[in-house]
Structure formats: structure tokens, C-alpha cells
Amino acid sequence: MENTIFVLCFILILFTSRVNSQTHHDNFIFNGFSNARNNLTLDGASLITDNGLLQLTNKTGYIVGHAFYSSPFNMLIKMMNNSSNSSTKKCSSFSVSFVFAIVPADLKKGGGHGFAFTISPMNKLPGAFSSHYLGLFNSSNDGDARNHVFAVEFDTVNGLGAFGDISSNHVGIDINGLTSKISADASYYIGEYGTRKEHVELESGSPIRVWIEYDGVDEIVNVTVAPLHMPRPTRPLLSFNYDFSALFKDQMFVGFSASTAKLSSSHYIIGWSFRLNGAAQEFTVSSLPITPPPSLVIPPSSSNTTTKIVKIVVPVVSLMLFITLVVALLCMYRWRRRRLSETLEDWELDCPHRFRYKELYLATKGFKQSEVIGIGGFGEVYKGVIPTTGEQVAVKKINQNSLLGIRQFVAEIESLGRLRHKHLVHLLGWCKRKKSLLLVYDFVPNGSLDIALVLGRNKSRVVLSWEQRFKILKDIASALLYLHEDWDQVVIHRDVKASNVLLDADMNGRLGDFGLARLYDHGDDNPRTTQVVGTLGYLAPELARTGKATTGSDVFAYGTLLLVVACGRGPLNPNVDNSTLMDWVSDCYQAGQILEAMDKNLNLSYDVEEAELVLKLGLLCMHNKPELRPSIRQVSRYLNGDDLLLCNNNMGHGCSLSLCP
Ligand SMILES: *[C@@H]1O[C@H](CO)[C@@H](O)[C@H](O)[C@H]1NC(C)=O
Ligand SMILES: *[C@@H]1O[C@H](CO)[C@@H](O)[C@H](O)[C@H]1NC(C)=O
Ligand SMILES: *[C@@H]1O[C@H](CO)[C@@H](O)[C@H](O)[C@H]1NC(C)=O
Ligand SMILES: *[C@@H]1O[C@H](CO)[C@@H](O)[C@H](O)[C@H]1NC(C)=O
Ligand SMILES: *[C@@H]1O[C@H](CO)[C@@H](O)[C@H](O)[C@H]1NC(C)=O
Ligand SMILES: *[C@@H]1O[C@H](CO)[C@@H](O)[C@H](O)[C@H]1NC(C)=O
Ligand SMILES: *[C@@H]1O[C@H](CO)[C@@H](O)[C@H](O)[C@H]1NC(C)=O
């Protein structure tokens, strides 16, 4: 019975021990630590964050944090030596991999002090100091062989002589003390033969992966470091030959230790994998917790300046370019608008004959020089086509400096715009813009009478026949009659002359430019500044004295036109100085040879009665005394043969013509 109980107990013990040995871990992996609270022994400041990070320290100064895997590992294996009948211990191969991130408290000065992966006989490190001691040792046990501690330090503060630190960003292998057996600046080798070395910033806040591998046969420990997103480097950063069997006890704990001081950092372990006698499992990178809060990530120091500058400068420059572009477009738009705009005064708003400047601008192709069809005393005349209607027009551009009476004038042309007679060149409208006034007229294709007479003389064009000339003179007389008498108010033309007579397609005469001389006549309110307007030779003598245009002065000018058309020459006699065409015709008349004055280019092919009538009527209309001149109605009657003009021989200067009813 006792035996059976003993056997049962033995079996039970055997079983349990067997179960124990079977369930004993030889590997683990943490893809984040959310479910690892029971598997870890935390000490000091270390904790597991809500999102599954193992935080060894926060940014508080002078703290220590430890985290160990709760169960120890049997690092040593007993090896029998049959020949010497003794046993020796060998350290098992092991492989550890982890991902960490260090977020410094002070972005400029950097953080501190670092952390270490450690293999220790205990799952805590009592009495260890913070700062340079990394929570591993204290001043009294540092370097003590009884520590049995192996550590790989990730040191972010240069101890400046203490512990042989090489830099503030180094990786070192420590045995029992903080003076590293071997260390190197944190970096990794890449390239096919591992020839290129890349810097790793431990305090970048970015996740960094570490592989620590020990081969129990070769007794070499390798440490490899690389950013998480990089593939595993082909060469380890540190390779250290050491027999751990002398260092380790049978059972060892694996874990981490970190510390802060005046300089501090949050030290995070993100994932951790370990295996005895084999390669540590690979992480599932996608399931690793995200660390640390991106806002706390320190920008890399050197390349970040450029990045920062680029990040600031590029948007600023783009913004400036954009603003410049917008301003330029606005300026162009405003410039174009202003170029085409007109400032309207209140009174201009209700004028039905007002044209838009833009319309005229487009009609004349931007007042192109090639569109100029004439240059008069007031300014250039452009041919144009109104875009909306396709109507051909002549646009007279008056660039006069003094358009003081413009409002009054416009009021007048507004009413003149209503004048309609087949022998008038119609004023279609107007447009005032700044100091220029644009007048829009019918386009009359055959140009002006003075040109037609001159060109005829040069034989380059068919000479205007007497019939045409006589017809034109009657046309103009009817137009003047309309202005003087047939409209609801008396309109004085003020500038009747050959160049203001235009010829339409059928060589009918049309009188243009009526009322324009009014522009210069501010005389109603200030007679002394009155400027005499008209054309030399067409100017009635009393106009020079009074400055006051009347229907009589228009008749005088018309008389000049009669002579000019009949004689085919200008009003001022080019042959004799200080002699006018009127003087010459008058001389011919008094010599009884009035037809001598006729245009030689007509080759005597004219109606003698009509010719005599025109010449005599011309002289009569140019009578010195306005009251002795016929009215335009009377002139029309003579020309149309309604009345007969009977003359004595006393024509010429101051001549008195007896008008025969
Ligand atoms: C953590 O501990 C639990 C039991 O407490 C166990 O089931 C689990 O496998 C352990 N995880 C690791 C990775 O060791
Ligand atoms: C940092 O850790 C220390 C030690 O555990 C703790 O006293 C302190 O409250 C922590 N600070 C913060 C901001 O969590
Ligand atoms: C030592 O002897 C044991 C049996 O006594 C044997 O199983 C083992 O293989 C031997 N080891 C060597 C290295 O010869
Ligand atoms: C076994 O012991 C002998 C004698 O002490 C020694 O020479 C030999 O190296 C040992 N073998 C091993 C594998 O340790
Ligand atoms: C080795 O040990 C065994 C038992 O412990 C013993 O019987 C044997 O004699 C020893 N051999 C030598 C060479 O010491
Ligand atoms: C250092 O640590 C050891 C072991 O934990 C402890 O016994 C000792 O008192 C500590 N020394 C100091 C100076 O704290
Ligand atoms: C350690 O690194 C060396 C040199 O790169 C290599 O030959 C060796 O196999 C590595 N050992 C382990 C365990 O990775």
C-alpha cells in the first residue's frame, strides 16, 4: 500500500515535472503588449500604455523602469565529458528581436539617458541608479562580476569619459558593468556587401528594430540595428566573441531597463520576440502599436532643417506666386477695363445716342492706324464696323484739350442726332471718354468733295462731271435748308466747305460735321474769349468782327463752295498773293468773262446757264453785307430754277445784285 502511494506520488511528481518541462517557454513574441500584463514583471516607472506600448520611462527626470519576462529561461545546458567523467555547462544559443522608440522630452537638447536589453539572474535590479547607470547597476556594483548581467545598451547621452561612452547615440555590449566591451554609433550596413553605413538616430521617435543573436557554438553575439521600415541589414553593427556560460546562471531573466536624469525621454518597447536555440519570430509589423504620439516626434536634426525650410518656404513662395498672379490678373483686368471704360456723369446716362467706348474700340480695331480714313481739323476719322449690328460707321476722334463746353455740346448733339435728311451725314451717336470725344457718323464711301475735285485734276480718277457737281451743290443746299429752316430749331453749320461734303455711292452730296464748330464756341457766356471757327476763304467777314455765326455766315461759306466746285480750285487763289477765289471770279465777272473762271478740266462740257448761275450765285452769297446775301431757301430756289437770278454788272466786292423775282 505504501509502495503504491509512493509509486503514485513518484508518477505524479514525474508527470508534473514532465509537464513543467514541456510547458516551459523557450520562446515568446509580443506584437505589442496589450495582453502581456501577466507575462511581464514591471518595476519602477515602467507600465503598459493603453495602446499596448511597453513604456519603460516617461519624461520625468531621474527615474528608472524595468520590465522582465516573468519566467526565467534555462540558458545553460549541461554537457557530459565521459572521458573525464565530469560535466561542463554551455550557454544555449538565443535570439532576441525587439522594436523600440525613444521620444525625448526636449527636442533641442535631446533626451536621456537610454535603455538596455538585459539578461539578468533576477527579474528586478534593486538599488540600480538612474541616469548613466541606465537602471542596471549602481556605483558600488558597477563592474562587479557577481552581477551576472549581460546588457546591450542604447545610450543617448555621452558620459564624457564615464563608462567610455563614445557618443550620445551609441550601442554597446555590457558585461556586468556599464563600460561597454564593444560599442558603435547607432547605424546599419546596407548594400549588397554591407559596404554602406547609414546613421540611425536613436532619439528620432521612429520605431527601430534590433536583433541580438548568440551562437552557443561560435560563442559570438551579434547586435544589429535598423529602422523598422528597412529590411534586415546584411551585416551586424556589433559582433562580440564571448562565452556566456561563465556569465550566466542556469536560469536567467530577459528584460529591459531604462532611466532618465536631467535629460529625459519616454522609452518605449513596441514589440519583443525571443527564442532559445533558434531564430526569434518575425513581428507582424501591421499589428504593432503605433508609437509614439506623432506630435512628440523629434524631427531629424540635419535633414529636417531643409525639410522644415522646404515645408515653410514652399507654401510661402507658392502663396506669394499665387498672390502675384492674382494681382497681375487683377491689374490686367483693371487696366483693360480702364482702357475700355468710361466714367459716366449723371447727365450722360439718359442719352440714347451714347455709344459704349468698348463698342467703338472694337469697331475700329482698337483705333488702329490702318483704319484711319481721314484727318480733319478736329482729329482722325476711323472707319469702323459696329460689332453687334455690322453697321459701317465713321468714328471721329476729337482729342481736344479743352472740351469745357462738352456737356452743352453733347446736349446739342443729342438733339442733332435726331436730324434726318438724306443729304446730311447722320450723327449716329457719341461717346465721351476722359478728354476725348468720339462722334459716330454714317460711313459715306466716296470720300470728300475736295479730294474728288483734286483727284480729278490729277487725272487719276474720272473728273467730276458738271452734272455731278451741280447735283452735289443742290444736295448741299437742300441739306443746309433743312438745317436752317426745316427743322424745329435753327441749326447753324458753321463750317460749310468742300471737305465737309461727302459723296455717297451714287455720288450724291451729303453735308457732314454740322454743329461741330460749336465745340469751340464757349462764347455765349463769355464773348471775349470767343474763337472764330471756320475755314479761311469760307469765313464771312462779319464773323471775324462779331464772332457770331449766323445763317448768313453759313450762306457765305456756301457761296465759297459754289465757286470752289465750279472753278475746281481752293478758295484762296494760289496764283496771286492776297487774292481770293472770290476776287478772281469777281474780276472775271466784271470783265464780262465769268465763264473764264470755270474749271478747265471740265473741257467746256458744262451747261453754260447753270455754270453762270453757280458762279454768280457764289458771288452773291459772298456779299460783304450779310443782309444782302440770299437766304438758303432763296439759293435753293435759284439752283432749282424756281427763281431766276438777274444780275447787273456791278458784281464783286461789295457788289449789289438785284434779285429779280
Ligand atoms: C502570457 O501569459 C498567458 C497566461 O498568463 C499565456 O497564456 C500566454 O501564452 C503568455 N504569452 C506569452 C507571449 O508568453
Ligand atoms: C512618470 O513616471 C513616474 C514614475 O512612475 C510617475 O511618478 C509620474 O507620475 C509619471 N509622470 C507622468 C507624466 O506620467
Ligand atoms: C557519454 O556517455 C553517455 C552514456 O554514459 C552517452 O550517452 C554519451 O553519448 C557520451 N558522450 C560522449 C560525448 O561520448
Ligand atoms: C573531457 O575531459 C578531458 C579530461 O579532463 C578533457 O581533456 C576534454 O577536453 C574534455 N572534453 C570536453 C568535450 O569537454
Ligand atoms: C565515473 O562516474 C561513475 C559513477 O558516478 C563511476 O562509476 C565511474 O567509475 C567513474 N569513472 C571514472 C573514470 O572516474
Ligand atoms: C547597489 O546595489 C546593490 C545590489 O542591489 C545593493 O546591495 C547596494 O546597496 C547598492 N549600492 C548603492 C550605493 O546603492
Ligand atoms: C554574427 O556575425 C558574423 C559576421 O557577420 C556572422 O559570421 C555570424 O554568423 C553571425 N552570427 C549570428 C548568430 O548571427
Side-chain angles (χ1 to χ4, degrees):
M1 188 61 191
E2 280 186 6
N3 275 349
T4 23
I5 292 170
F6 179 79
V7 168
L8 276 174
C9 283
F10 181 79
I11 289 169
L12 195 68
I13 289 164
L14 200 77
F15 183 71
T16 9
S17 71
R18 183 160 285 231
V19 165
N20 265 347
S21 68
Q22 272 188 350
T23 55
H24 192 83
H25 299 94
D26 62 358
N27 77 91
F28 63 80
I29 181 164
F30 296 106
N31 286 296
F33 297 87
S34 297
N35 302 312
R37 280 186 175 83
N38 298 328
N39 310 90
L40 299 178
T41 301
L42 302 181
D43 176 63
S46 64
L47 52 86
I48 292 167
T49 65
D50 291 341
N51 64 332
L53 294 167
L54 171 56
Q55 185 186 51
L56 300 172
T57 69
N58 58 33
K59 291 169 187 167
T60 305
Y62 302 100
I63 55 170
V64 166
H66 298 133
F68 283 92
Y69 188 73
S70 298
S71 311
F73 290 89
N74 295 315
M75 299 302 291
L76 298 180
I77 43 170
K78 217 181 221 175
M79 303 289 283
M80 292 304 294
N81 187 336
N82 291 348
S83 54
S84 67
N85 206 8
S86 63
S87 71
T88 54
K89 284 174 181 172
K90 283 223 61 102
C91 182
S92 298
S93 295
F94 63 88
S95 162
V96 62
S97 181
F98 58 90
V99 179
F100 75 92
I102 301 174
V103 181
D106 191 313
L107 296 172
K108 282 179 191 162
K109 290 185 204 159
H113 268 248
F115 77 102
F117 168 77
T118 182
I119 299 177
S120 157
M122 293 181 290
N123 60 1
K124 47 178 72 91
L125 296 164
F129 288 174
S130 61
S131 73
H132 294 294
Y133 293 91
L134 298 179
L136 291 171
F137 310 107
N138 59 33
S139 55
S140 56
N141 66 7
D142 177 49
D144 192 327
R146 291 168 297 177
N147 290 328
H148 302 283
V149 168
F150 162 75
V152 178
E153 65 170 45
F154 296 84
D155 196 335
T156 60
V157 177
N158 191 338
L160 299 172
F163 314 127
D165 284 356
I166 55 162
S167 74
S168 61
N169 190 61
H170 67 267
V171 182
I173 290 174
D174 299 344
I175 307 289
N176 291 326
L178 288 155
T179 304
S180 299
K181 301 295 177 193
I182 184 173
S183 67
D185 274 326
S187 53
Y188 62 101
Y189 294 96
I190 55 166
E192 205 174 337
Y193 304 104
T195 46
R196 209 168 90 225
K197 202 175 182 185
E198 290 288 322
H199 175 81
V200 173
E201 183 68 30
L202 298 176
E203 288 179 324
S204 69
S206 312
I208 294 165
R209 189 177 344 200
V210 178
W211 295 265
I212 299 169
E213 287 160 324
Y214 179 71
D215 186 331
V217 178
D218 292 344
E219 294 173 348
I220 290 173
V221 64
N222 287 342
V223 177
T224 310
V225 175
L228 179 59
H229 63 270
M230 293 299 292
R232 182 178 174 154
T234 50
R235 255 175 81 183
L237 173 64
L238 297 175
S239 202
F240 181 57
N241 195 320
Y242 190 76
D243 180 9
F244 283 107
S245 58
L247 178 70
F248 288 165
K249 295 188 172 176
D250 284 343
Q251 296 216 309
M252 299 293 281
F253 292 89
V254 294
F256 298 95
S257 172
S259 73
T260 67
K262 194 175 177 185
L263 297 171
S264 64
S265 297
S266 288
H267 297 90
Y268 296 99
I269 306 298
I270 301 164
W272 185 17
S273 169
F274 179 86
R275 186 186 291 274
L276 272 178
N277 301 309
Q281 287 180 69
E282 284 295 318
F283 298 108
T284 311
V285 173
S286 59
S287 58
L288 292 175
I290 290 164
T291 58
S295 61
L296 298 175
V297 173
I298 187 174
S301 59
S302 59
S303 61
N304 63 8
T305 328
T306 354
T307 332
K308 215 185 283 177
I309 287 168
V310 164
K311 275 182 185 166
I312 293 166
V313 163
V314 165
V316 164
V317 167
S318 328
L319 189 69
M320 279 167 67
L321 280 174
F322 179 73
I323 288 171
T324 313
L325 191 73
V326 165
V327 166
L329 283 174
L330 268 175
C331 286
M332 262 180 68
Y333 176 75
R334 284 189 54 164
W335 175 75
R336 204 184 135 79
R337 263 189 63 147
R338 201 163 34 206
R339 218 154 59 98
L340 298 181
S341 79
E342 48 214 306
T343 41
L344 294 186
E345 294 172 36
D346 297 342
W347 56 268
E348 291 184 75
L349 295 171
D350 313 319
C351 298
H353 293 94
R354 191 176 60 81
F355 275 80
R356 287 169 60 219
Y357 180 74
K358 190 179 174 183
E359 203 171 7
L360 299 182
Y361 185 87
L362 295 175
T364 58
K365 299 177 184 173
F367 296 101
K368 213 168 156 186
Q369 211 55 38
S370 62
E371 303 303 299
V372 173
I373 52 173
I375 298 172
F378 293 103
E380 289 127 331
V381 184
Y382 298 83
K383 186 185 173 179
V385 177
I386 300 294
T388 47
T389 60
E391 190 182 2
Q392 283 192 320
V393 294
V395 180
K396 183 168 285 208
K397 192 177 188 183
I398 302 169
N399 292 313
Q400 294 297 336
N401 44 11
S402 160
L403 290 172
L404 292 174
I406 195 157
R407 180 174 175 174
Q408 194 183 349
F409 173 74
V410 164
E412 208 163 293
I413 55 178
E414 267 299 317
S415 68
L416 293 179
R418 289 185 283 127
L419 290 169
R420 282 292 178 270
H421 188 271
K422 64 175 180 173
H423 296 299
L424 283 179
V425 178
H426 293 142
L427 178 64
L428 301 176
W430 57 276
C431 172
K432 178 179 87 76
R433 189 166 176 274
K434 291 179 186 165
K435 285 193 167 179
S436 58
L437 180 70
L438 300 160
L439 295 174
V440 185
Y441 291 99
D442 283 339
F443 176 71
V444 183
N446 275 326
S448 61
L449 178 60
D450 61 330
I451 304 285
L453 291 168
V454 170
L455 284 176
R457 195 176 300 148
N458 290 345
K459 309 278 183 198
S460 61
R461 205 159 95 174
V462 181
V463 181
L464 277 178
S465 70
W466 177 250
E467 288 74 29
Q468 286 172 325
R469 297 186 195 201
F470 194 62
K471 170 75 169 60
I472 290 163
L473 290 172
K474 288 200 286 187
D475 292 343
I476 301 307
S478 72
L480 264 182
L481 179 60
Y482 175 77
L483 293 177
H484 285 182
E485 297 183 17
D486 289 352
W487 204 50
D488 51 6
Q489 73 183 77
V490 176
V491 178
I492 297 165
H493 189 287
R494 293 161 190 260
D495 203 12
V496 176
K497 57 180 175 180
S499 60
N500 275 342
V501 173
L502 301 178
L503 303 175
D504 68 14
D506 301 323
M507 298 309 272
N508 297 310
R510 292 177 70 176
L511 182 61
D513 267 3
F514 46 86
L516 200 52
R518 191 81 178 83
L519 263 182
Y520 291 90
D521 189 3
H522 319 140
D524 287 343
D525 40 339
N526 190 357
R528 253 174 272 169
T529 61
T530 296
Q531 198 180 341
V532 175
V533 177
T535 304
L536 214 57
Y538 291 88
L539 217 55
E542 77 278 6
L543 210 52
R545 291 194 302 273
T546 65
K548 199 137 178 94
T550 59
T551 52
S553 56
D554 269 0
V555 169
F556 183 94
Y558 181 76
T560 311
L561 181 71
L562 288 170
L563 299 188
V564 165
V565 170
C567 305
R569 58 177 72 181
L572 302 175
N573 192 336
N575 301 325
V576 188
D577 288 341
N578 299 322
S579 169
T580 64
L581 179 62
M582 189 192 72
D583 295 331
W584 183 61
V585 176
S586 184
D587 290 347
C588 294
Y589 174 71
Q590 285 175 346
Q593 295 175 314
I594 195 169
L595 292 178
E596 275 299 301
M598 287 299 284
D599 188 353
K600 297 286 178 286
N601 291 306
L602 287 169
N603 291 324
L604 302 174
S605 57
Y606 48 84
D607 183 303
V608 174
E609 279 180 28
E610 285 174 359
E612 281 192 8
L613 173 65
V614 167
L615 291 170
K616 287 175 183 174
L617 193 55
L619 290 176
L620 183 62
C621 290
M622 294 178 81
H623 202 288
N624 265 344
K625 293 179 177 163
E627 61 276 14
L628 293 180
R629 294 170 203 154
S631 69
I632 195 68
R633 184 173 292 280
Q634 192 60 56
V635 169
S636 293
R637 289 180 66 85
Y638 291 136
L639 288 175
N640 292 321
D642 298 336
D643 286 330
L644 279 174
L645 179 64
L646 297 174
C647 302
N648 59 21
N649 285 336
N650 196 16
M651 298 279 284
H653 273 132
C655 72
S656 59
L657 279 170
S658 44
L659 303 177
C660 317

